[in-house]
Amino acid sequence: MASSLQSLQSSIERIILDPRYHDILAVLKGARNGAVYGTKVRFPHALVMIFLFRSGTVREKFWLVFRATKTHARNLAKFATIYKSTVMLLKHYGPGEPGKEGPYDTLVAGLLGGYFVFGGRSRTSGKISSVNQQIVIYVFARVVLALARLAVKEGSPVALPVVSREGVSGRVSHYAWPVFASVSWGLVMWLFRYHPEDLQPSLRSSMSYIYAQSDEWDGLRNFIWHNK
């Protein structure tokens, strides 16, 4: 029995180590890694946030945790599959030299994956998934920061003509973050005060807990030990 299992393992390893199958197997492993990473990231976050801030029975809360984790893991796996499959197809059958990745292959693949995985709405409610919103907003924030760095980096493809000059770039980089942080927090507090319904629900809930519910108490019990 042991020898049969070893023989099977050896046969499988010969296949997965064969360069001819590398690209298609990379798609499968990308899907696997997307699902695993999505589970690792979402499960503890959902567990804490739902049990702390959501109402309902324990069973209902566990169901919400499971659903959020499943959505995150599934969508990262789907995106990885679409992205890596598209890159592979463009590499071999695209307009460029066969076998070589073109300069815009990753952009096209990302656009397709983003549209089909994260751009859709629920078939039943017509709403955008809160999990998808959080993922896209997270990615968008990192993209903006990266583009801002490239904008002041001399020689980058998106370098701005004045601020990327040597000497100017360093000063802009030094002061940009404090300004960015100040504007971000100023705007979010203004939005929370006057247009809270337009903020993302989890952010609105967190801000309500910190800034609105802290205005109310009727004794020592809900001033220190409890919120309400």
Side-chain angles (χ1 to χ4, degrees), residues 4-24:
S4 299
L5 290 175
Q6 288 180 349
S7 177
L8 177 61
Q9 181 178 345
S10 298
S11 299
I12 294 174
E13 286 190 345
R14 279 197 299 271
I15 294 173
I16 65 175
L17 295 177
D18 191 326
R20 294 176 298 174
Y21 307 123
H22 176 270
D23 287 352
I24 189 65

Side-chain angles (χ1 to χ4, degrees), residues 19 22-24 26 83-106 108-109:
H22 176 270
D23 287 352
I24 189 65
Y83 171 78
K84 293 181 77 70
S85 297
T86 304
V87 169
M88 179 184 67
L89 291 172
L90 289 173
K91 177 181 176 181
H92 294 287
Y93 306 106
E97 183 179 347
K100 286 191 175 182
E101 183 180 299
Y104 303 109
D105 290 359
T106 54
V108 172

Side-chain angles (χ1 to χ4, degrees), residues 20 34 38 43 46 49 54 57 73 126 139 143 147 160 164 207:
R20 294 176 298 174
F43 177 75
M49 296 301 291
R54 289 289 188 94
T57 65
V139 170
V143 168
L147 289 175
L160 296 177
S164 61
M207 295 183 72

Side-chain angles (χ1 to χ4, degrees), residues 19-72:
R20 294 176 298 174
Y21 307 123
H22 176 270
D23 287 352
I24 189 65
L25 291 174
V27 175
L28 295 177
K29 188 170 183 184
R32 177 262 181 200
N33 285 5
V36 170
Y37 185 81
T39 301
K40 287 182 176 180
V41 169
R42 178 57 58 173
F43 177 75
H45 176 269
L47 188 68
V48 171
M49 296 301 291
I50 288 173
F51 271 83
L52 283 180
F53 298 109
R54 289 289 188 94
S55 58
T57 65
V58 172
R59 183 176 181 179
E60 289 171 340
K61 290 181 178 181
F62 270 119
W63 170 248
L64 290 173
V65 171
F66 169 77
R67 191 171 65 180
T69 303
K70 176 186 174 184
T71 300
H72 200 139

Side-chain angles (χ1 to χ4, degrees), residues 122-175:
S122 169
R123 295 178 181 177
T124 54
S125 66
K127 295 181 179 179
I128 301 170
S129 161
S130 60
V131 172
N132 280 356
Q133 283 188 0
Q134 291 166 8
I135 294 172
V136 172
I137 291 169
Y138 175 90
V139 170
F140 176 76
R142 271 65 184 173
V143 168
V144 170
L145 287 174
L147 289 175
R149 292 191 184 101
L150 286 174
V152 297
K153 184 183 292 184
E154 192 172 10
S156 81
V158 294
L160 296 177
V162 177
V163 296
S164 61
R165 292 175 184 171
E166 188 176 355
V168 178
S169 174
R171 291 198 299 273
V172 171
S173 298
H174 180 76
Y175 292 108

